[in-house]
Amino acid sequence: MASSIRVRAVESGGVTTLKALVRHPMDSGFVKDSGGNIIPAHFIQVLTISHKGKDVFKADWGPAVSKDPFLECRFKGAKKGDKLTISWIDNKGESDSTEATIA
Amino acid sequence: MDVINQSRRGFLKGALGAGVAGVALGYGLVPLSAEAAMPNGAAWPKKAFNTPSVDDTISELYGMSAVESDKITMDLPTIAQNGAVVPVKVETSLPDVTAIALLVAQNPNALAAAFEIPDGTLPFVSNRLKMAKTTDVVAVVVSGGKAYKATQNVKVTVGGCGG
């Protein structure tokens, strides 16, 4: 299965800018389907970005984050060619993770 | 809770263990560390995500109340055509930032996202949020152990929260 995470990380002047797009329904638990049944909450709770085993960014997300969430963050200390690991886990215990190389 | 889920949580705890301890210590937060000690607790601040009011959420999350600051820059539309996808960008010139949180005042639960900013990471974040109706969006920044906030109103023209 293709990864649910698309990442682009670019280093410039010592600062790495990372943009990540995750494919996920992010159901809030407040929305009803066409039959009037509530769609159960299903959303990413924690997303972490690590570089060389150190967390450089961690997001705790609630159901108010948009469907197919987009995130951008910036950090120092990484250089071109370094590997980053991006992983998430949702409220149903599903998870995914991917590796990206800084360009 | 089935076996697979349990082991997955175990794995997550192992992987994030250091982070969890860091959070608990860093914020010195009693409610959060109690949460983390629970078997299903992980690091996710469940209680803060289930608090309707903005001020209660901030104190639940960081154990203090936030003061207004003009050093927080928020970049988001003043009119959103689609409340389901509102891009919100927050940046600050405050020093020693350890955390940033985004809150949507009129949502059923105010907290949308809470970010941890470790050393070396710039106090900047961009995220897309859902908002149910025209609302204030509050950005909270924890800098040098103190909480600061900035507020901006977003007019939602089409009902959001539709997913």
Side-chain angles (χ1 to χ4, degrees), chain B residues 1-13 39-40:
Chain B
M1 198 57 59
D2 60 35
V3 178
I4 297 167
N5 253 337
Q6 287 287 16
S7 61
R8 208 176 246 144
R9 281 186 195 284
F11 171 77
L12 180 77
K13 270 208 169 144
N40 289 344

Side-chain angles (χ1 to χ4, degrees), chain A residues 15 26 30-31 43 45 48 54-66 70-72 74-76 92-93, chain B residues 5 8 44-45 49 84-85 107-108 112-122 124-130 161:
Chain A
V15 176
M26 299 300 282
F30 293 104
V31 181
F43 56 92
Q45 288 186 311
T48 44
K54 172 185 173 275
D55 280 358
V56 290
F57 196 84
K58 175 168 169 280
D60 288 331
W61 275 345
V65 173
S66 298
F70 167 83
L71 178 84
E72 182 179 346
R74 297 172 185 166
F75 58 91
K76 292 179 190 166
K92 291 185 179 174
Chain B
N5 253 337
R8 208 176 246 144
W44 197 66
F49 275 104
V85 185
N107 273 5
F115 307 98
E116 272 169 43
I117 313 290
D119 245 4
T121 300
L122 303 188
F124 164 90
V125 71
S126 173
N127 208 170
R128 290 176 189 161
L129 306 179
K130 294 181 238 181
C161 257

Side-chain angles (χ1 to χ4, degrees), chain A residues 19-38:
Chain A
K19 294 178 185 181
L21 192 61
V22 186
R23 200 172 59 247
H24 197 282
M26 299 300 282
D27 290 317
S28 67
F30 293 104
V31 181
K32 289 176 183 160
D33 64 16
S34 50
N37 305 307
I38 286 182

Side-chain angles (χ1 to χ4, degrees), chain B residues 118-151:
Chain B
D119 245 4
T121 300
L122 303 188
F124 164 90
V125 71
S126 173
N127 208 170
R128 290 176 189 161
L129 306 179
K130 294 181 238 181
M131 36 206 77
K133 49 189 162 185
T134 298
T135 178
D136 280 344
V137 175
V138 182
V140 181
V141 173
V142 179
S143 154
K146 287 203 176 73
Y148 300 91
K149 67 178 175 182
T151 307

Side-chain angles (χ1 to χ4, degrees), chain A residues 50-92:
Chain A
S50 61
H51 168 246
K52 291 184 174 164
K54 172 185 173 275
D55 280 358
V56 290
F57 196 84
K58 175 168 169 280
D60 288 331
W61 275 345
V65 173
S66 298
K67 180 184 172 188
D68 297 336
F70 167 83
L71 178 84
E72 182 179 346
C73 67
R74 297 172 185 166
F75 58 91
K76 292 179 190 166
K79 51 185 195 301
K80 287 186 203 300
D82 280 3
K83 293 255 190 284
L84 293 170
T85 308
I86 296 95
S87 48
W88 58 259
I89 181 161
D90 69 20
N91 65 323
K92 291 185 179 174

